[in-house]
Amino acid sequence: MNIAVTVKEIREQVSGWRKQGLSVGLVPTMGYLHEGHKSLITRAVSENDKVVVSVFVNPMQFGPAEDLESYPRDMDRDAAICEEAGAALVFHPDASEMYHNGFSSFVDMNTLTGGLCGKSRPVHFRGVCTVVAKLFNIVTPDRAYFGQKDAQQLAVIRHMADDLSYGIEIKGCPIIREEDGLAKSSRNTYLDEKERKAALVLSKALSEGRKLIELGERDADKIKDTMTGIINTEPMAKIDYVEIVKWDSLEPVKNIDGPVLAAVAVFIGKTRLIDNFIALED
């Protein structure tokens, strides 16, 4: 497995693969990889001849008061996980390689990004769309893989890829959880022992919400109230949002009559965690 740091290196390598008639998968990440990322790479390896993993902490998707500088990084560990999972190439550029001096072109979206995480992180999805669009242009993959834990991101990228006619198959992959139910996340490393225990309230609330839908409850407000009540039993938890939205458009729903995304964002101490489930999906 090789590690490339320039766009030129990636394009030369992918061009060589294309000449051999090989398919290419892409797994975009911000590094500090865990079992969730590894599951994406493993899936990509099973469905493509060659897999590129990008490891890039994208400054454009962080707001001024967010954790860009403290975001965990460990490239040696990331490279070992990529190699173990079967990736052929890691793309690990500096910010200056992705955003040259005078960079001023962006990919933005007028739908899907205003609610959920976009409401409290207004610059986030412009940064996500811009960097993913660049990665699509650089790698030109046949398929790209994203985790369901960032469900709004998955929906946004699918919409962007369709709008911009990339012709890339966007693959959503299941949330990988710890044994006690906590969704795996690079930000879990911020939690101390008490906060780690308190964070379980997210998966508990979502589990109860899923159960209500499975039992036939279709009033979204009743389900949200139940999940909110569970989260509020934890003194260390501060809710950013608890929402139920249509899975295709991310529009809020009152009565559930099709596939929905139930999503939560909660601060445990200073750490913002997200989790979700998708219900009634075909």
Side-chain angles (χ1 to χ4, degrees), residues 4-17:
V5 297
T6 68
V7 172
K8 183 174 183 289
E9 289 176 278
I10 291 290
R11 285 182 167 158
E12 287 178 350
Q13 180 64 81
V14 173
S15 176
W17 293 338

Side-chain angles (χ1 to χ4, degrees), residues 107-108 129 133 136-137 158-167:
V107 178
D108 214 338
C129 287
F136 285 177
N137 288 335
R158 279 178 169 159
H159 192 78
M160 181 193 77
D162 185 51
D163 281 354
L164 301 183
S165 303
Y166 272 112

Side-chain angles (χ1 to χ4, degrees), residues 224-245:
K224 289 195 296 182
D225 287 346
T226 296
M227 294 193 297
T228 298
I230 291 171
I231 295 170
N232 282 335
T233 64
E234 173 49 62
M236 300 184 76
K238 179 182 177 183
I239 293 174
D240 182 356
Y241 65 76
V242 175
E243 295 289 352
I244 297 177
V245 297

Side-chain angles (χ1 to χ4, degrees), residues 4-7 55-57 59 91-100:
V5 297
T6 68
V7 172
V55 175
F56 177 60
V57 181
F91 182 37
H92 181 51
D94 288 334
S96 60
E97 179 70 12
M98 294 295 282
Y99 305 119
H100 59 72

